[in-house]
Amino acid sequence: HYFIQSNLRTLGVSTLEMILLIAQYFMSFLLWITEDDEDKKDEKVELSMKKSEIYKLRKKHVAEACILFYDPKPLQIVRAKGQYMYDEEDNEYLDCINNVCHVGHCHPHVVAAAQRQMAILNTNSRYLSALNASYAARITAAFPEPLDTVFFVNSGSEATELALELCRVWNNATDFICVDSGYHGHTRSAITVSDYKFGHPRGIGQPDFIQKMDLPDMYRGPHRDRATAGPKYGAQADVMIQNIK
């Protein structure tokens, strides 16, 4: 403490600034020596909770609008690897519904890269970063001409919002075409172009500026003949595009 205080005074730091810096240093030290204990405590709580207790907590504290699959007998998933998920009794399930883990659950390369970066830096993109710039170059190298620019976003919903805004700015149009049963995110704008959300019994209904086209479905859709289905669905889209305002 005396060493830090003496050096700060040598640098011309005021008493208040010195107190704040020492307090910050002290809190960081406390966090460092207690974080392992807290992690172990959280892990014990998770492992000791019964399924019925978890269910009651979720029903009490998590919004009802957040759907729980297979309610009132939901799955309790405790881990996942590759294409499989496992419950508290280690039963294995083939995951055919999760839309997040595109390269499989807990892919070792992805996990290692995330852990490595989180231990070095986690900030916004307003600073120069070799990783940021080189990653953008790697991605755009796979694009067809003339595409050569990227926006980095943190979720599918944010990507949808940005795409809609780019369209509005580009052509000053307010109409959009969406596909029947489509889902594009939970934000306000994403919901307005998602039939899965606005067409729900508790949804907002189809907005006036939305044109909804048929889902190109070869099994249940209006056009099922392989020779003619594509052109017919395409013709429907062409008409809607011409009606864009």
Side-chain angles (χ1 to χ4, degrees):
H1 176 273
Y2 176 77
F3 173 79
I4 296 173
Q5 190 178 44
S6 299
N7 279 276
L8 287 173
R9 281 177 175 164
T10 302
L11 293 172
V13 178
S14 69
T15 302
L16 178 59
E17 290 174 323
M18 182 171 62
I19 293 173
L20 291 173
L21 287 169
I22 292 173
Q24 185 178 14
Y25 169 80
F26 181 68
M27 291 302 295
S28 298
F29 176 73
L30 285 178
L31 180 61
W32 176 69
I33 63 176
T34 60
E35 62 183 1
D36 287 342
D37 291 337
E38 290 299 320
D39 289 342
K40 291 177 181 177
K41 187 186 298 182
D42 291 341
E43 186 176 344
K44 288 180 179 178
V45 169
E46 292 172 0
L47 292 175
S48 64
M49 288 184 68
K50 295 181 179 179
K51 188 173 183 177
S52 58
E53 294 176 317
I54 301 173
Y55 184 79
K56 289 179 181 178
L57 279 177
R58 167 151 181 151
K59 286 294 184 179
K60 182 178 180 180
H61 298 294
V62 178
E64 184 180 349
C66 299
I67 297 173
L68 180 62
F69 289 145
Y70 312 115
D71 193 15
K73 295 182 179 180
L75 294 176
Q76 180 187 346
I77 300 299
V78 298
R79 66 185 181 90
K81 183 178 181 181
Q83 69 273 39
Y84 297 106
M85 303 179 79
Y86 302 85
D87 66 13
E88 77 281 10
E89 296 178 350
D90 211 34
N91 293 311
E92 185 179 80
Y93 300 88
L94 177 62
D95 184 4
C96 297
I97 194 170
N98 211 308
N99 61 347
V100 177
C101 305
H102 298 299
V103 293
H105 292 278
C106 306
H107 192 292
H109 179 77
V110 176
V111 172
Q115 289 175 331
R116 183 170 61 250
Q117 187 58 40
M118 288 293 290
I120 299 172
L121 177 67
N122 180 25
T123 185
N124 61 47
S125 59
R126 292 183 177 89
Y127 309 100
L128 276 179
S129 166
L131 283 176
N132 184 293
S134 61
Y135 185 48
R138 287 169 57 194
I139 293 175
T140 55
F143 289 176
E145 294 289 346
L147 302 178
D148 61 2
T149 307
V150 300
F151 289 91
F152 288 122
V153 294
N154 66 4
S155 69
S157 294
E158 186 178 358
T160 300
E161 287 277 347
L162 179 59
L164 295 174
E165 187 60 26
L166 289 173
C167 290
R168 294 188 186 100
V169 172
W170 175 254
N171 62 10
N172 293 316
T174 56
D175 287 6
F176 288 94
I177 300 170
C178 76
V179 177
D180 183 28
S181 303
Y183 169 70
H184 304 290
H186 270 297
T187 59
R188 185 65 179 179
S189 293
I191 289 173
T192 63
V193 295
S194 299
D195 178 52
Y196 175 83
K197 302 297 285 188
F198 67 66
H200 190 276
R202 292 184 293 178
I204 61 175
Q206 182 173 332
D208 295 336
F209 56 86
I210 292 295
Q211 299 183 71
K212 185 173 69 174
M213 67 171 290
D214 294 323
L215 174 67
D217 187 344
M218 297 297 294
Y219 296 95
R220 303 176 185 84
H223 310 299
R224 305 179 191 181
D225 182 82
R226 291 187 176 276
T228 60
K232 287 182 178 179
Y233 283 118
Q236 183 188 27
D238 287 338
V239 172
M240 291 184 174
I241 291 172
Q242 296 303 317
N243 292 331
I244 286 286
K245 299 176 182 179

